[in-house]
Each structure stands twice: as C-alpha cells, then as structure tokens.
Amino acid sequence: MNYIGSKHKLSAFIVETVKAVVGANLTGKVFCDLFAGTGIVGRNFKPLVKKVIANDSEFYSFVLNQNYIGNHREIAEKSAFLAELEALTSADDGFIYQNYCAGSGSGRQYFSDDNGKKIDAARRQIEAWKTANRINDSLYYFLLASLLEAADKVANTASVYGAFLKKLKPTAQKPLTLAPAQFLLNNDNDHEVFNADANDLITQIRGDILYLDPPYNQRQYGANYHLLNTIARYQPFTPQGKTGLPPDYARSNYCRKNRVAIAFERLIKRADFPFVFVSYNNEGLMTVAEIKTLMEKYGKYRVVSTAYQRFKADNGRAYSAAATEEYLHILEK
Ligand SMILES: C[S@@+](CC[C@H](N)C(=O)[O-])C[C@H]1O[C@@H](n2cnc3c(N)ncnc32)[C@H](O)[C@@H]1O
C-alpha cells in the first residue's frame, strides 16, 4: 500500500539501528509499534522478537495489523474462502457503489462501478460469514485485509482518498482481484494488536523496544484514508460533501501544531520501555532540535539519519518527490 509515511523502504535502516543499539539477538524482546499504519515495521520485527505489540488509532490499520501481526498460524481453507468471495455476483445496492461510484449518480468516482459493486458484495459476505460463525477472527481479519489491499490497488485517486480523479485512471479500470494478504507463519508466539490512541495505550503496556512513527504533518490519516475505514467498518452514515467523508473522522493531536509537542512529551514520559526509537523527518511539525530537547530530559539520547525519497502521489502533481532527511531519535530511559 502506498501509505503516507510508510517505512517500507526504511525497514532495513530501522532494523539495523535497533540491533546496533539493543543487541543483535532480539529473540527475548517485546517490540511495540505504537503508530503501526500498514504494519510494515512490526512485520519486519515479527520474526526477530518474542512478541510484537501493534497499535494504530485508525480502524483500517487495526484490520491490517490483526492480519499481518496478529495472525501467525496457518488458517485452514483461507484460499477457498477467498475464492468464494472472488466468485460472488456483484451487488448494486451496497454502500460503496451507492455513495462512491459514478454509476449510482453519487457524484463521486473513487472506484469503477464494477469494482465498487464487487467490494460491496465481498464485504457483506465476510460479515455474513462472521455473524453465522462460519469464520473465526483470524480468518475474518485475513479476508478483510485482503479486501482492503485489493480495493486500494484499484482506487481512482492520485494516491490518498482526500479526492478522486475525474476520469478513471488505468489501474482503476482493472478489475479488483482478491490476492491473499500474506502473513508470516514463523513462530508460536502470540502478538497483540490494539486500536487505541497511543497516549491512552501507553499507560497499559510495557516491553523492551518502543518504536514511534507518529504523523509528522497536518494531514489527518482519518481523512486521507477514509474509504479504507468505510470499507473496514461498513456501517452506514451520511457522506459529507464532494469527498464523501464520514462526519466524525478522528483527528490526531500529532497532526496539530499547537498540540503535538505536549502529546509527544507525555508519551515519552509515560513509556515503560528501556529503549525508545522515534522516526521523524526534517519537514515535520516538530523540529529535530525540539525533539532532542524534549527526549533528552528522560535519558540518554542520540540521533541517526538517512537520506530518503519523500511520499509521492502517483500523478506526480500533488506532492513533490524531493529527497528529505529521515531521522531516528534514540532514547535509553
Ligand atoms: C507515519 S504513519 C505510520 C506509518 C507506519 N510506520 C508504516 O510504515 O506503515 C502514522 C500513523 O499514526 C496513526 N496515528 C495518528 N495519530 C495517532 C494516535 N494518536 N494514536 C495512535 N495512532 C495514531 C495514523 O493512523 C498513521 O497510521
């Protein structure tokens, strides 16, 4: 998934830095990814540590992490269920088609008509199986994650869901295909996944390595990925305005200039983890110097950095592709 702030390309840098600081053998450690997004950082640590705790305040991220982090044992018949979803007859009275496709007269075009109908049919079927107890939580989240990933691939947007394109772009014209959202089967350890505000959850968890990757600018994830939440939740509401946002999407303090430093300091102060790593870039709401001043109050601090290609929309217009500096702030409490 092309996600704002994704650490996919920085994973090796993060793993190597953590190993250099904490030690090469992490097998006994509890690693927490508190702002997990796509879950890619936790996925990289999953085979290396005893336990991963993943959290994000957005529900679509919770679904992805329930699958990629929470699931670690083989799920019988997962391919058969996915094939059944693939073969469903599309529904033209579903929430996505009615509100986010052009053919229904919604005035929005986030998906082609066929793909919107297919998302509705699959989403309803997953819920029906769950309600009838035909699938357990592991399979439920595997199927939902597979649907979210598939829908995102055919979305008719420049990149995020803050707006749709007037014409269907080539990838949006392709039929939605349900590929399995593969997760690692590599160990017997149980992992934990939460859907909470980081500042609330921090008082309830403890571990060895805390990885923090908060939003670094004012762009709220709840607005930019609202359709993923809508598909994941599938609870009717009245879509607002041209973009079709839900009326009550969450607004994070980490995206607010006048609140971020207070929230961040509270988080660092309350963290019951001996090692804290914070990803942030040099164009964020907090400056590198501010983060340093704040973190060094709570222990031994240092910072490392690497050059990085910033998030880019696929029409090349919305965000520039200039190189930026990505920092990893390190605190030993
Ligand atoms: C920079 S992204 C993380 C990207 C992730 N590391 C990845 O590689 O996919 C920041 C994440 O923080 C989440 N978030 C924002 N405010 C939050 C809060 N107060 N508590 C928990 N998660 C929050 C957003 O939903 C978003 O997924």
Side-chain angles (χ1 to χ4, degrees):
M1 190 176 283
N2 185 16
Y3 195 63
I4 304 174
S6 165
K7 296 299 173 290
H8 180 54
K9 290 184 181 149
L10 287 163
S11 292
F13 166 68
I14 295 165
V15 170
E16 288 320 310
T17 307
V18 168
K19 280 183 171 176
V21 173
V22 180
N25 183 354
L26 301 175
T27 49
K29 306 293 185 198
V30 174
F31 176 90
C32 176
D33 187 7
L34 201 63
F35 298 83
T38 61
I40 192 66
V41 177
R43 280 191 253 175
N44 278 290
F45 279 91
K46 194 175 169 185
L48 307 177
V49 300
K50 183 170 80 176
K51 174 179 180 171
V52 175
I53 301 172
N55 172 65
D56 198 285
S57 52
E58 294 299 332
F59 187 68
Y60 61 83
S61 167
F62 173 72
V63 168
L64 295 175
N65 280 282
Q66 281 279 17
N67 178 58
Y68 293 124
I69 302 298
N71 282 340
H72 59 95
R73 295 195 184 97
E74 188 52 272
I75 302 173
E77 295 184 87
K78 71 181 194 310
S79 306
F81 277 95
L82 212 53
E84 251 191 81
L85 288 183
E86 190 68 76
L88 285 173
T89 307
S90 293
D92 64 7
D93 59 347
F95 193 75
I96 299 299
Y97 176 68
Q98 287 299 327
N99 293 290
Y100 298 101
C101 295
S104 61
S106 70
R108 306 182 188 102
Q109 190 170 216
Y110 282 98
F111 296 105
S112 71
D113 291 347
D114 284 350
N115 286 338
K117 291 177 193 175
K118 194 166 174 179
I119 292 167
D120 283 320
R123 184 63 189 88
R124 282 174 171 171
Q125 184 61 72
I126 295 169
E127 208 57 35
W129 282 332
K130 181 81 168 65
T131 308
N133 281 327
R134 276 204 58 205
I135 57 176
N136 62 14
D137 280 355
S138 298
L139 184 49
Y140 180 70
Y141 288 116
F142 165 79
L143 294 172
L144 276 187
S146 302
L147 179 60
L148 288 180
E149 296 278 13
D152 189 61
K153 278 200 172 62
V154 295
N156 187 40
T157 63
S159 183
V160 296
Y161 298 85
F164 54 85
L165 301 173
K166 279 195 192 121
K167 284 188 182 163
L168 280 179
K169 68 179 186 178
T171 49
Q173 290 173 27
K174 291 186 179 163
L176 178 148
T177 309
L178 285 161
Q182 303 287 11
F183 54 88
L184 268 183
L185 292 169
N186 67 323
N187 64 39
D188 282 334
N189 301 327
D190 281 327
H191 306 282
E192 276 188 286
V193 184
F194 296 93
N195 181 206
D197 187 287
N199 283 60
D200 294 334
L201 186 64
I202 198 68
T203 60
Q204 294 156 42
I205 55 170
R206 60 202 301 261
D208 303 293
I209 305 161
L210 178 64
Y211 174 69
L212 304 175
D213 187 19
Y216 46 81
N217 63 27
Q218 274 150 347
R219 295 160 64 204
Q220 295 281 358
Y221 283 78
N224 280 299
Y225 295 95
H226 66 99
L227 258 171
L228 297 184
N229 270 339
T230 297
I231 295 169
R233 285 208 186 94
Y234 215 62
Q235 300 286 334
F237 59 85
T238 305
Q240 308 291 298
K242 183 92 180 149
T243 58
L245 273 167
D248 56 351
Y249 70 87
R251 289 157 174 90
S252 172
N253 284 337
Y254 289 87
C255 301
R256 297 172 175 197
K257 181 71 189 154
N258 59 348
R259 296 199 189 173
V260 58
I262 296 167
F264 183 66
E265 179 159 5
R266 280 196 185 137
L267 190 62
I268 298 290
K269 189 176 176 181
R270 290 176 178 165
D272 191 358
F273 288 75
F275 294 99
V276 182
F277 295 82
V278 182
S279 282
Y280 217 72
N281 77 11
N282 58 343
E283 297 166 343
L285 291 175
M286 292 186 290
T287 65
V288 175
E290 276 169 336
I291 295 175
K292 176 178 185 284
T293 307
L294 198 152
M295 285 179 78
E296 64 189 6
K297 286 195 220 167
Y298 299 97
K300 194 174 130 200
Y301 167 87
R302 81 193 109 135
V303 63
V304 292
S305 71
T306 184
Y308 183 64
Q309 191 85 352
R310 108 159 72 112
F311 179 81
K312 180 176 173 291
D314 68 1
N315 68 356
R317 272 183 290 126
Y319 310 105
S320 111
T324 180
E325 198 72 8
E326 185 77 29
Y327 290 85
L328 198 52
H329 302 265
I330 304 163
L331 180 70
E332 288 180 48
K333 281 192 101 180

